[in-house]
Amino acid sequence: MQVNPSETRGALSIAACNSGKSFAERIIRELNIIARNEADEHRYDLHNVEEVVFPNGEVKVVIHEFIRGDDFYIIQCMDDPLSERTINDNLMALITAIHAAYQSDPDHITAVIPQFPYSRQERRKTREAISAKIVAQLIENAGAQRVLTLDIHAEAIQGFFNYTKLEDMHASGEMVDCVLNKLKLDLSKLIVTGPDVGSAEKARHYSKKLGVNFAIVDKARDYSKPGQVESMRLVGDVRGKNILIVDDMIATGGTLLHAAKLLKDNGAEDIYVAVSLPFFNGDAVERIEKAYQEGLIKLIIGTDAVFWGESFVRNTEWYAEVSVAPLFARVIYNINKKRSVSQLLR
Ligand code: R5P
């Protein structure tokens, strides 16, 4: 069957900034599988886009192909462990890419950013910026009509946009599939928890999907010291149980390792972790490796929304990767074909 162009929003057209390329290639592969399965004769490929960095560090993105009238998606990953580029470099590249697209007259522009930058700065405590709002406005002002992201740290960030729509996707489907079908964990012995009260809703969601109980870890931070956890308490009984800790991100690993220690001290057995955005900043990899060797952590399941590359995944015993590229590809395809996406966003 050939897809009738009038049923679509204009040619589905995809490009990536440098740090989004690996993830974008996976999305393209999945889009072509979807197209083949739907007897859609179109074959997808990445547009030729160039990221130019000037000697003073300024960046601009140039789109070398015609995209007038297209349904255009620009993919970028802010935290790219395989490059020297910082989150700020990648954010600026994204902004110039969106604006380059805007100058090129596509019908729609969607920014595909599985990691929403500055999402932990979504409210202020003292004389400080609400940086997530500044980022939202930058993206909107550059010309994006829609943003696709993954397990955003604070859903209220949707309200920081005036006209741009933010679709928050969830890795829980892929994670639950991994727990049930790859790891085949014994559900009668499993308890789900989040490492802080902020992740309690996520823990409840996973516990419902898996049909198991959940416990709560209550974390207090000292906000005068970035990345430092002050104290933690546990609500719930975990003695003799295996644990699945769920969280949106691991940054320094401090939150996770404190929670794992608390759970172990309270009699928990094996500790598994499901994290949508495995940033592993600073010396997190070394700290987690040590925790794994000491038996504190059994396995961390992360998604390829933070792209660690094949050799890291192959050689890191405590790490398993699930891909969210098929989910992103399906959502992009459905948006382009004017089909529902609400089931896919749950
Ligand atoms: C906190 O609210 C988040 O959900 C994460 O738990 C936290 O940001 C992880 O940071 P870190 O790994 O540095 O403790």
Side-chain angles (χ1 to χ4, degrees):
M1 179 191 88
Q2 180 147 27
V3 177
N4 178 349
S6 68
E7 291 170 5
T8 74
R9 292 156 46 112
L12 171 48
S13 122
I14 312 234
C17 295
N18 285 353
S19 280
K21 238 174 212 146
S22 305
F23 189 54
E25 279 160 4
R26 289 191 173 190
I27 291 180
I28 289 284
R29 206 159 52 228
E30 295 299 327
L31 275 171
N32 283 321
I33 293 173
I34 294 171
R36 255 195 310 278
N37 290 342
E38 302 224 0
D40 164 358
E41 281 160 22
H42 196 86
R43 289 295 165 264
Y44 299 97
D45 207 351
L46 281 179
H47 275 298
N48 178 6
V49 159
E50 186 186 1
E51 205 170 299
V52 182
V53 181
F54 294 93
N56 66 356
E58 287 180 5
V59 62
K60 77 170 174 184
V61 169
V62 185
I63 302 168
H64 286 299
E65 286 167 302
F66 176 82
I67 57 168
R68 176 160 289 123
D70 286 1
D71 183 20
F72 183 75
Y73 295 77
I74 178 80
I75 300 173
Q76 174 66 310
C77 294
M78 305 295 166
D79 193 321
D80 173 9
L82 301 183
S83 95
E84 296 288 303
R85 288 182 291 273
T86 66
I87 288 175
N88 293 337
D89 294 338
N90 286 332
L91 174 59
M92 203 56 211
L94 171 76
I95 298 301
T96 69
I98 295 170
H99 204 242
Y102 176 77
Q103 306 298 331
S104 315
D105 273 348
D107 273 2
H108 287 85
I109 302 173
T110 299
V112 181
I113 46 169
Q115 318 152 6
F116 195 98
Y118 292 83
S119 62
R120 284 176 293 176
Q121 296 181 44
E122 90 289 11
R123 61 201 152 137
R124 76 183 180 91
K125 293 221 159 35
T126 173
R127 291 185 290 274
E128 57 192 18
I130 305 176
S131 308
K133 180 166 182 170
I134 299 172
V135 169
Q137 291 179 356
L138 271 172
I139 292 172
E140 180 164 291
N141 290 337
Q145 286 131 309
R146 186 189 298 266
V147 172
L148 294 183
T149 194
L150 185 73
D151 286 314
I152 196 161
H153 181 67
E155 285 179 350
I157 292 171
Q158 288 172 358
F160 293 168
F161 294 93
N162 290 322
Y163 308 107
T164 303
K165 284 169 244 161
L166 182 120
E167 311 283 14
D168 187 26
M169 297 157 63
H170 303 290
S172 57
E174 281 66 18
M175 294 294 189
V176 165
D177 181 55
C178 177
V179 166
L180 294 178
N181 302 320
K182 287 208 188 104
L183 304 178
K184 298 189 193 309
L185 296 188
D186 175 2
L187 297 186
S188 68
K189 215 185 154 187
L190 191 69
I191 298 261
V192 175
T193 187
D196 55 21
V197 175
S199 49
E201 200 183 321
K202 194 180 284 297
R204 195 180 309 116
H205 178 72
Y206 272 77
S207 79
K208 242 168 117 181
K209 275 196 158 184
L210 287 163
V212 303
N213 280 334
F214 80 104
I216 291 177
V217 173
D218 175 27
K219 171 182 81 175
R221 267 201 195 277
D222 178 353
Y223 282 94
S224 64
K225 300 174 196 132
Q228 277 197 32
V229 178
E230 205 173 52
S231 65
M232 275 189 172
R233 309 182 288 155
L234 174 68
V235 183
D237 184 13
V238 297
R239 189 159 299 280
K241 299 287 187 183
N242 293 332
I243 309 292
L244 178 68
I245 299 180
V246 297
D247 206 357
D248 58 339
M249 65 177 81
I250 295 174
T252 64
T255 304
L256 169 68
L257 297 179
H258 273 84
K261 169 104 181 35
L262 179 72
L263 290 159
K264 281 279 188 187
D265 289 348
N266 280 271
E269 292 189 0
D270 292 343
I271 296 185
Y272 298 84
V273 184
V275 61
S276 309
L277 302 173
F279 294 126
F280 304 144
N281 298 138
D283 60 356
V285 168
E286 290 74 24
R287 293 170 74 201
I288 295 170
E289 174 71 38
K290 184 163 175 279
Y292 169 73
Q293 296 298 344
E294 290 168 351
L296 193 59
I297 298 284
K298 182 93 177 169
L299 184 77
I300 295 181
I301 315 164
T303 78
D304 56 356
V306 182
F307 202 83
W308 279 91
E310 276 165 27
S311 88
F312 178 86
V313 174
R314 209 179 24 250
N315 299 323
T316 310
E317 278 179 35
W318 48 264
Y319 188 68
E321 183 185 81
V322 297
S323 180
V324 285
L327 176 65
F328 275 81
R330 177 43 89 179
V331 168
I332 289 170
Y333 194 81
N334 277 19
I335 290 172
N336 179 254
K337 299 290 179 271
K338 297 185 185 168
R339 296 181 192 163
S340 172
V341 293
S342 54
Q343 291 296 327
L344 300 166
L345 300 178
R346 286 181 181 195

